Amino acid sequence: MFLRVRIEQGIPKLLVKINPAEANGASVRNLGEVTLKKCGGVRGHVAVLHLSNAVARGELLMSLKLAELLDIEEDEQVDVFCQQDKEGSPARIRVPAPSTR
């Protein structure tokens, strides 16, 4: 899934939030583990996923610390990989990238 990053003050360091509609049809569960990667980036980082209706569709909320670890700035896109599916391969959710303002 490709989502636009929004940095939120006060969010725990390794927690990310997305709208539940973004996870529709995937093996994502609330408070499950995901891997985040900057689009085009080489390394990723593990985070805990929180599904929240308060988050706008197409966006991912993260802490400033996690954004710094991933070298991501607000409005950049991040690739989200879910935990491995039952066959052992990583599940990747693709969401159309939101248009920039």
Side-chain angles (χ1 to χ4, degrees):
M1 124 180 39
F2 292 106
L3 299 171
R4 183 174 46 205
V5 172
R6 292 281 181 227
I7 297 171
E8 182 178 283
Q9 297 294 332
I11 192 170
K13 179 169 64 171
L14 296 178
L15 182 77
V16 294
K17 297 179 182 181
I18 66 169
N19 188 296
E22 304 296 355
N24 201 12
S27 60
V28 177
R29 57 186 172 83
N30 194 36
L31 302 179
E33 188 177 285
V34 294
T35 301
L36 305 172
K37 241 186 214 186
K38 181 177 182 174
C39 290
V42 178
R43 64 183 197 133
H45 204 288
V46 174
V48 174
L49 179 71
H50 174 66
L51 302 175
S52 172
N53 287 316
V55 179
R57 291 190 72 175
E59 293 186 350
L60 177 139
L61 301 181
M62 72 169 54
S63 69
L64 177 60
K65 181 64 177 175
L66 185 55
E68 288 173 349
L69 288 170
L70 292 167
D71 191 29
I72 293 176
E73 295 182 18
E74 190 145 330
D75 286 327
E76 283 190 292
Q77 290 186 341
V78 65
D79 200 1
V80 181
F81 295 87
C82 305
Q83 275 285 38
Q84 294 184 342
D85 63 17
K86 292 176 185 165
E87 288 77 40
S89 58
R92 183 185 207 174
I93 306 168
R94 291 201 176 264
V95 174
S99 59
T100 56
R101 296 177 237 186

